[in-house]
Amino acid sequence: MQSAQNYIDLKKEVEACCIDAGRTSGSTLLLAVSKTVGIDEVQKVFDAGCRDFGENRPDGLLEKSSAFPEARWHFIGNVQSRRIKDIVSCAYMIHSVYKADHLHKIDVAAQEVGKVQKILLEVNVSGEESKSGLVPGNLNEVYEECLNYRNISCEGLMTMAPLGDLKEAEACFEGLFELEEQLKKRGSQLKAPSSDRLTQLSMGMTDDWRIAIEKGSTIVRLGRAIFS
Ligand SMILES: *Cc1c(COP(=O)(O)O)cnc(C)c1O
């Protein structure tokens, strides 16, 4: 595996893509999704300079974050109620929150460890039945609920585009961008001080990250592009 070199090349490409899209240098974070590999491969990419990694299972998150405490570990997988404590104990950011009844548990778990948990709300923009995430119509309500919790900071939105069709992916990313703009407006109407924290758009994977950056992605989540 050429993981380290892949990471180095991709980091440059992400940067070039930001500039081409008329965005500022460094405005998109390359998140290395290490869910399919072990500690040895993570080590190579860490040594190449990567400090942001994503995992989709609590056990992987716990194991790898304790092996690499200097890195920031992002949780991008399905959140199960009974694993919230574990996830909160080591996640820098949780990208995949969409159930309103998880917010209270996240808040309590964060308070217990003395942190403010950064989260993103996952949105099912394309409306595919197989996908998790909030339907856009329920987003305002769940976002407003986030604002009630002192130990939660909602920093933006996340989505997964339909696979295989770049036109559909593009529409999905545009949709997520628009939804975040609407939420920002809504937040300023509510005069919610934390609405100015809505700065992140986690969108774009190995097959579609270039389009995602054109559409305003601030975090691309790359697995296969690095680790295969
Ligand atoms: C696996 C995964 C990724 C990375 O996917 P690749 O296509 O391998 O880049 C990104 N986001 C989520 C939520 C994932 O589960």
Side-chain angles (χ1 to χ4, degrees):
M1 248 190 266
Q2 297 282 318
S3 314
Q5 193 59 47
N6 290 343
Y7 169 76
I8 291 164
D9 294 344
L10 280 161
K11 196 156 162 47
K12 286 191 198 128
E13 285 181 56
V14 164
E15 187 65 16
C17 197
C18 271
I19 304 294
D20 284 351
R23 302 189 37 208
T24 45
S25 163
S27 56
T28 304
L29 174 75
L30 196 182
L31 178 65
V33 177
S34 52
K35 65 189 183 190
T36 59
V37 298
I39 299 288
D40 291 356
E41 287 302 317
V42 173
Q43 183 73 57
K44 292 180 193 166
V45 175
F46 183 89
D47 291 342
C50 183
R51 292 295 179 271
D52 285 270
F53 293 89
E55 286 287 321
N56 70 338
R57 294 192 186 277
D59 290 340
L61 183 77
L62 287 167
E63 185 204 340
K64 290 174 193 160
S65 64
S66 67
F68 297 90
E70 310 89 340
R72 303 193 295 191
W73 289 87
H74 300 239
F75 189 73
I76 61 172
N78 183 36
V79 176
Q80 288 174 297
S81 193
R82 63 186 177 86
R83 300 306 302 271
I84 284 175
K85 245 183 128 161
D86 286 336
I87 296 168
V88 168
S89 73
C90 52
Y92 170 73
M93 180 181 279
I94 307 173
H95 291 225
S96 42
V97 177
Y98 66 94
K99 291 190 176 144
D101 57 353
H102 286 165
L103 294 173
H104 178 67
K105 282 200 168 142
I106 293 171
D107 185 65
V108 170
Q111 177 158 35
E112 275 174 14
V113 293
K115 76 195 265 199
V116 173
Q117 180 65 62
K118 294 179 195 291
I119 68 161
L120 305 178
L121 293 175
E122 181 174 355
V123 186
N124 182 359
V125 180
S126 57
E128 287 171 286
E129 275 190 24
S130 59
K131 286 247 161 77
S132 52
L134 284 158
V135 297
N138 293 338
L139 184 58
N140 271 344
E141 192 185 330
V142 178
Y143 174 64
E144 282 173 30
E145 192 167 336
C146 290
L147 302 176
N148 295 328
Y149 292 106
R150 283 205 211 155
N151 305 291
I152 292 179
S153 172
C154 181
E155 315 248 314
L157 304 178
M158 179 274 226
T159 198
M160 288 175 74
L163 296 175
D165 184 328
L166 292 181
K167 278 278 162 232
E168 281 181 35
E170 182 172 10
C172 173
F173 298 148
E174 278 173 1
L176 196 72
F177 181 90
E178 274 311 311
L179 287 167
E180 184 143 300
E181 293 305 301
Q182 288 166 23
L183 268 196
K184 284 183 196 167
K185 281 197 197 121
R186 177 109 186 114
S188 57
Q189 280 162 7
L190 294 168
K191 302 206 172 26
S194 44
S195 59
D196 42 279
R197 293 191 200 133
L198 287 175
T199 53
Q200 303 292 342
L201 282 173
S202 170
M203 57 188 197
M205 299 165 40
T206 292
D207 294 328
D208 53 25
W209 64 267
R210 286 184 174 79
I211 300 171
I213 291 179
E214 281 169 27
K215 298 299 168 189
S217 171
T218 65
I219 308 177
V220 288
R221 309 179 307 267
L222 303 184
R224 288 168 298 144
I226 300 172
F227 297 107
S228 62

